[in-house]
Amino acid sequence: MDKQTLFLAVDGGATHCRARIADAAGACLGSGHAGPANTRLGIEPVFAEILSATGQALQAAGLDSRRIGDLHAGLGLAGLSLEADRRAVMAHRHPFLSLTAETDAYTACLGAHRGADGGIVTLGTGSNACAIVEGTIIDLGGWGFRLGDQGSAAQVGLAALRRALLACEGMLPGSELCRSLLDRFDGEPEQAVLWAEAARPSDYGALAQLVTEHATRGDTVAEALMREAGAEAALLIAALYDRGVGRIALVGGFARHIRPWLPEAVLAPLVEPQGDGLDGALILARRALQRMQAAADAG
């Protein structure tokens, strides 16, 4: 393979990291994946996962490992909203020909609209919103499980378990969903409490699967929980729309479950995403190279 221009796109999320090597035309040459790449875990561990995924992508592309030095890398990383982490990433020693980095929300937004203006509402284990309007970045939410994540799988799972405990003690009506949730703890509320002491957002997110399943079967409690989650997700959509974002894509693994429960009032600006975070990271890398070349030509 000749010394063509090569790009590395990285979508580094809280649970896993994906990498894609593409040529100048955008064709995928090889892909790889590794563990979490949230900068809150530390810069060194994040780069270790990035390099692991990149090595797999090089191998899948049939490229010698030394070609890592020919890659123009665009990174979309969870946790990069903090300026200190951004500086640390850009200052970190790396083997790439060039490197640029943004939040994973930003690259997901770039990918969803193929680089054009627009916004996204991410509904997965957590939630947040991001938009790009005439070069201005709008970030909303993303305050984490304790303070935010409205409309997310984690919050739906938490609300469902709370409701199951209230129903168990006769304070609110129960349902098959409530019984199914407590069955996970052998019908013992005390076991649920012990589980909750060490539970992570992803653990609550797993409980949300029971909620979506029971909602499709007409379980009244499950339907109420999904309706509440839809109303909370609608806050993010409405907030972007009020800021002049006319095209908004829902992304994330929980989005398809929330979509049927959204209020009709927020449906108008919704569009289908045209790409994902890897597509956005590739756009990021290409734009960074174009700026470098323009600066070199000007100099």
Side-chain angles (χ1 to χ4, degrees):
M1 190 172 188
D2 60 3
K3 290 276 186 178
Q4 60 181 302
T5 302
L6 295 174
F7 295 96
L8 170 69
V10 172
D11 181 28
T15 56
H16 63 271
C17 170
R18 299 184 298 154
R20 176 190 298 164
I21 294 175
D23 61 18
C28 176
L29 305 179
S31 300
H33 67 276
N38 186 326
T39 57
R40 306 310 301 150
L41 301 174
I43 303 303
E44 289 289 348
V46 165
F47 268 89
E49 300 297 347
I50 290 171
L51 293 178
S52 176
T54 301
Q56 293 179 31
L58 284 167
Q59 185 175 16
L63 296 171
D64 188 279
S65 60
R66 290 172 295 183
R67 296 295 301 277
I68 195 169
D70 297 328
L71 301 176
H72 296 281
L75 314 181
L77 303 178
L80 204 59
S81 54
L82 297 182
E83 185 59 32
D85 285 346
R86 186 185 301 272
R87 290 196 300 267
V89 167
M90 296 306 296
H92 193 276
R93 185 176 181 181
H94 64 79
F96 308 118
L97 185 56
S98 69
L99 181 146
T100 186
E102 289 288 351
T103 66
D104 58 342
Y106 180 82
T107 51
C109 192
L110 278 180
H113 300 283
R114 295 293 186 187
D117 281 3
I120 60 166
V121 171
T122 303
L123 300 169
T125 299
S127 71
N128 71 293
C130 178
I132 304 168
V133 180
E134 297 181 354
T136 298
I137 303 171
I138 301 170
D139 285 311
L140 298 171
W143 300 115
F145 179 64
R146 295 182 185 276
L147 299 178
D149 285 349
Q150 60 266 37
S152 70
Q155 291 295 352
V156 167
L158 173 61
L161 189 53
R162 282 176 170 168
R163 178 60 184 264
L165 292 176
L166 288 169
C168 178
E169 295 187 318
M171 287 186 274
L172 285 175
S175 71
E176 185 60 35
L177 168 65
C178 297
R179 289 185 285 274
S180 296
L181 282 166
L182 283 180
D183 283 346
R184 295 224 170 171
F185 305 100
D186 299 324
E188 296 292 337
E190 292 86 355
Q191 290 192 30
V193 172
L194 292 174
W195 173 87
E197 289 181 354
R200 299 167 298 177
S202 58
D203 298 320
Y204 285 105
L207 295 182
Q209 296 178 12
L210 274 178
V211 182
T212 59
E213 291 169 5
H214 281 78
T216 60
R217 296 200 287 266
D219 184 288
T220 56
V221 172
E223 287 181 340
L225 290 168
M226 292 303 293
R227 195 172 296 110
E228 290 168 9
E232 291 192 339
L235 295 175
L236 292 169
I237 299 171
L240 286 182
Y241 188 71
D242 289 344
R243 285 164 172 78
V245 184
R247 293 167 50 83
I248 303 170
L250 300 182
V251 301
F254 201 55
R256 64 185 178 89
H257 297 295
I258 290 292
R259 178 72 183 256
W261 301 97
L262 290 173
E264 187 173 351
V266 300
L267 298 181
L270 297 185
V271 298
E272 291 298 316
Q274 300 177 49
D276 62 9
L278 280 175
D279 297 309
L282 178 58
I283 293 171
L284 183 70
R286 291 169 65 92
R287 288 181 175 178
L289 178 58
Q290 289 168 359
R291 289 193 298 270
M292 288 170 54
Q293 292 174 335
D297 291 342

